[in-house]
Amino acid sequence: LAYESEELKKAQSAYEALLDNKYGRLGKDEKAYVSFALANCYSYAGRDQEVQDILGKFDSDFKGFPSRPRALLMRANLAFRSHADNIRKKAVKDYAELVEEYPQSREASFALFYWARAELHEGRTKEAEFHFTEYLNRFPKGGFAEIAKWTLGQIKQGNG
């Protein structure tokens, strides 16, 4: 369901104005963060094409982004929340890239859990089970450990 409110519309307008340089030129990092914030607003509003447009620019416009693990996590989370299946499927790719390329990053623990969740959401229970187990092996005291254990139990009982 799309969510619209006056606050959301104001935020969208402010982010769009920032990206249009109405308040001065943004640096590359600032532009990336504002773009992600705007994509987040569009996501809540159910504006999937605009989300897809922003996410599509990521690889060309934000190459060399200094916080690439965080950016990949943000992009994957936005894609996963999308209402469009073709966009949501891109989340798995980004979660995998983050875990594989930045395994020691703080974001890798989030990405591994979300990767498992995305696989489960897409009905791929074997892949989800594998990634939840990997999460528990790598991050046994991680913030999602209890949820991962519970979800694995549900999968093993056939309720996943």
Short mmCIF file of all heavy atoms in Angstrom, two decimals, residues 15 19 24 29 44 47 57 60 66 91-92 99 112 131 148 152:
data_model
loop_
_atom_site.label_atom_id
_atom_site.label_comp_id
_atom_site.label_asym_id
_atom_site.label_seq_id
_atom_site.Cartn_x
_atom_site.Cartn_y
_atom_site.Cartn_z
N TYR A 15 13.87 17.35 -0.89
CA TYR A 15 14.94 16.56 -1.49
C TYR A 15 15.08 16.86 -2.98
O TYR A 15 16.18 16.97 -3.51
CB TYR A 15 14.71 15.06 -1.27
CG TYR A 15 14.81 14.64 0.18
CD1 TYR A 15 13.89 13.76 0.72
CD2 TYR A 15 15.82 15.11 1.00
CE1 TYR A 15 13.97 13.35 2.04
CE2 TYR A 15 15.91 14.71 2.32
CZ TYR A 15 14.98 13.83 2.84
OH TYR A 15 15.07 13.43 4.15
N LEU A 19 18.38 18.37 -4.93
CA LEU A 19 18.99 17.73 -6.10
C LEU A 19 18.99 18.63 -7.32
O LEU A 19 19.83 18.49 -8.21
CB LEU A 19 18.30 16.41 -6.42
CG LEU A 19 18.55 15.30 -5.41
CD1 LEU A 19 17.68 14.08 -5.72
CD2 LEU A 19 20.01 14.90 -5.37
N GLY A 24 22.20 25.54 -3.67
CA GLY A 24 23.65 25.42 -3.87
C GLY A 24 24.01 24.04 -4.35
O GLY A 24 23.20 23.12 -4.29
N ASP A 29 29.01 12.98 -2.21
CA ASP A 29 28.46 12.23 -1.08
C ASP A 29 27.08 12.75 -0.69
O ASP A 29 26.15 11.97 -0.46
CB ASP A 29 29.38 12.30 0.14
CG ASP A 29 30.71 11.63 -0.08
OD1 ASP A 29 30.87 10.96 -1.13
OD2 ASP A 29 31.58 11.76 0.79
N TYR A 44 7.87 4.83 -0.08
CA TYR A 44 6.71 4.89 0.80
C TYR A 44 5.46 5.33 0.05
O TYR A 44 4.35 4.91 0.37
CB TYR A 44 6.95 5.83 1.98
CG TYR A 44 7.79 5.22 3.06
CD1 TYR A 44 9.06 5.72 3.34
CD2 TYR A 44 7.34 4.14 3.80
CE1 TYR A 44 9.85 5.16 4.33
CE2 TYR A 44 8.12 3.57 4.80
CZ TYR A 44 9.37 4.09 5.05
OH TYR A 44 10.14 3.52 6.03
N ARG A 47 5.78 4.99 -5.49
CA ARG A 47 6.22 5.52 -6.79
C ARG A 47 7.42 4.70 -7.27
O ARG A 47 8.55 5.16 -7.29
CB ARG A 47 6.55 7.01 -6.65
CG ARG A 47 5.31 7.83 -6.33
CD ARG A 47 5.60 9.25 -5.97
NE ARG A 47 6.25 9.97 -7.05
CZ ARG A 47 6.62 11.25 -6.96
NH1 ARG A 47 6.37 11.93 -5.85
NH2 ARG A 47 7.23 11.83 -7.96
N LYS A 57 20.63 4.81 -11.34
CA LYS A 57 21.73 5.77 -11.47
C LYS A 57 22.88 5.47 -10.52
O LYS A 57 23.96 6.02 -10.67
CB LYS A 57 21.24 7.19 -11.20
CG LYS A 57 20.30 7.73 -12.23
CD LYS A 57 19.87 9.13 -11.84
CE LYS A 57 18.90 9.70 -12.84
NZ LYS A 57 18.48 11.05 -12.45
N SER A 60 26.32 4.31 -12.00
CA SER A 60 27.03 5.28 -12.84
C SER A 60 27.32 6.58 -12.10
O SER A 60 28.43 7.10 -12.16
CB SER A 60 26.22 5.57 -14.11
OG SER A 60 24.96 6.11 -13.77
N PRO A 66 32.26 6.76 -0.99
CA PRO A 66 33.14 6.32 0.08
C PRO A 66 32.53 5.32 1.05
O PRO A 66 33.23 4.54 1.66
CB PRO A 66 33.52 7.60 0.81
CG PRO A 66 32.54 8.61 0.38
CD PRO A 66 32.01 8.18 -0.96
N ALA A 91 17.20 -6.53 -4.92
CA ALA A 91 17.67 -6.49 -3.54
C ALA A 91 18.59 -7.67 -3.24
O ALA A 91 19.64 -7.51 -2.61
CB ALA A 91 16.48 -6.49 -2.57
N VAL A 92 18.21 -8.86 -3.70
CA VAL A 92 19.02 -10.06 -3.46
C VAL A 92 20.41 -9.87 -4.03
O VAL A 92 21.41 -10.19 -3.39
CB VAL A 92 18.33 -11.31 -4.03
CG1 VAL A 92 19.26 -12.51 -4.01
CG2 VAL A 92 17.05 -11.61 -3.24
N VAL A 99 27.66 -8.71 1.04
CA VAL A 99 28.21 -9.78 1.89
C VAL A 99 29.50 -10.33 1.30
O VAL A 99 30.46 -10.59 2.03
CB VAL A 99 27.16 -10.90 2.09
CG1 VAL A 99 27.77 -12.12 2.74
CG2 VAL A 99 25.99 -10.38 2.93
N LEU A 112 23.30 -9.93 5.30
CA LEU A 112 23.14 -11.39 5.31
C LEU A 112 21.76 -11.78 5.85
O LEU A 112 21.08 -12.63 5.29
CB LEU A 112 24.25 -12.04 6.13
CG LEU A 112 24.35 -13.56 6.07
CD1 LEU A 112 24.39 -14.07 4.64
CD2 LEU A 112 25.57 -14.03 6.84
N HIS A 131 21.09 -19.03 4.20
CA HIS A 131 21.58 -17.70 4.61
C HIS A 131 21.28 -17.39 6.08
O HIS A 131 22.08 -16.74 6.75
CB HIS A 131 21.04 -16.62 3.68
CG HIS A 131 21.56 -16.75 2.29
ND1 HIS A 131 22.90 -16.69 1.98
CD2 HIS A 131 20.92 -16.97 1.12
CE1 HIS A 131 23.07 -16.86 0.68
NE2 HIS A 131 21.87 -17.03 0.14
N ALA A 148 16.44 -15.04 13.49
CA ALA A 148 16.97 -16.03 12.56
C ALA A 148 16.72 -17.44 13.09
O ALA A 148 16.31 -18.33 12.33
CB ALA A 148 18.46 -15.79 12.31
N LEU A 152 14.35 -20.13 11.25
CA LEU A 152 14.86 -21.46 10.86
C LEU A 152 13.96 -22.56 11.41
O LEU A 152 13.68 -23.55 10.71
CB LEU A 152 16.29 -21.64 11.36
CG LEU A 152 17.38 -21.05 10.48
CD1 LEU A 152 18.73 -21.10 11.20
CD2 LEU A 152 17.45 -21.76 9.14
#
